[in-house]
Amino acid sequence: MTKFQVIFLLVAMMYLVAKVILGFIIYLVTLQIEAAARERQRKRRAYLSRVRARDRELYKEAYQWYQKRNAETATVVPLPVPEPEVEEAHPVSAQIPKKRDAQEKTRLAERERLREIYEY
């Protein structure tokens, strides 16, 4: 190897070592910054929960009035009610008692009840 090759390899090795050391230092600094940020976040959350609790107590009557007003004036969106399925009479199926009839009557009664509730 020539002297220039040895010098180049030495400089390249020093560059890589410096880069690894710098990366490790940045990692350590990042850990410290993260720990400080987590502590600030914990303090901020505790402060905000205290403020919210105080506000809830201060404006308790206003919140109750607001919730009552919203409950009274809540807009109810009617549910879409599909039309009941109509089955054609089949000679064999007409002879067999259907268990579905009772279920269908229950379903139709429930639809009617919901329709009465959700009508404006």
Side-chain angles (χ1 to χ4, degrees):
M1 272 207 267
T2 64
K3 287 185 179 185
F4 288 121
Q5 288 175 332
V6 171
I7 293 172
F8 174 76
L9 288 176
L10 183 62
V11 170
M13 181 65 91
M14 288 183 346
Y15 171 76
L16 290 176
V17 168
K19 195 170 184 179
V20 168
I21 291 172
L22 187 62
F24 185 70
I25 290 171
I26 290 174
Y27 173 73
L28 291 177
V29 169
T30 303
L31 287 179
Q32 290 176 350
I33 291 172
E34 183 181 5
R38 286 185 189 274
E39 182 65 24
R40 281 194 309 272
Q41 182 183 29
R42 186 189 61 77
K43 287 180 181 178
R44 189 178 318 116
R45 283 185 178 169
Y47 171 74
L48 288 175
S49 67
R50 286 193 311 267
V51 167
R52 288 185 187 121
R54 186 196 68 206
D55 286 349
R56 249 184 273 120
E57 192 61 35
L58 279 175
Y59 304 111
K60 186 177 185 178
E61 292 178 21
Y63 281 130
Q64 288 174 351
W65 176 80
Y66 177 74
Q67 289 169 353
K68 182 180 176 185
R69 186 190 67 169
N70 281 349
E72 291 173 354
T73 61
T75 57
V76 179
V77 178
L79 297 174
V81 180
E83 295 297 323
E85 298 174 4
V86 178
E87 295 181 8
E88 294 182 16
H90 192 269
V92 175
S93 65
Q95 298 170 1
I96 302 170
K98 293 186 179 180
K99 182 179 180 183
R100 291 180 49 201
D101 286 343
Q103 293 173 348
E104 193 167 324
K105 287 179 184 176
T106 306
R107 214 175 314 129
L108 288 174
E110 182 67 19
R111 284 183 189 159
E112 285 299 317
R113 188 180 71 79
L114 288 174
R115 189 175 288 143
E116 289 173 5
I117 290 173
Y118 291 120
E119 282 183 352
Y120 287 76

